[in-house]
Amino acid sequence: MTTRRQHGFESLAERWMLLVLDFVGGFDEVLAQPFRLRFFSSEGKGSQAVL
């Protein structure tokens, strides 16, 4: 509920993880898979496809 959106899940494990994340806090976003993660590091730009 912290993202103010309804997130779907494929398994009970995912459902419980979303519930735990809701109470832990410190998360700005929950992304559905697949997605491409783009990032910057001390070694330069990078990206990773998460499936």
Side-chain angles (χ1 to χ4, degrees), residues 39-47:
F39 56 90
F40 296 94
S41 72
S42 60
E43 298 174 2
K45 291 185 204 177
S47 69

Side-chain angles (χ1 to χ4, degrees), residues 5-36:
R5 294 189 317 231
Q6 183 175 358
H7 293 281
F9 50 88
E10 294 181 7
S11 70
L12 291 177
E14 288 180 3
R15 185 181 102 175
W16 287 113
M17 182 58 69
L18 288 172
L19 181 64
V20 168
L21 292 176
D22 201 26
F23 287 96
V24 169
F27 292 91
D28 294 328
E29 192 69 44
V30 175
L31 302 173
Q33 293 180 347
F35 67 92
R36 177 161 298 278

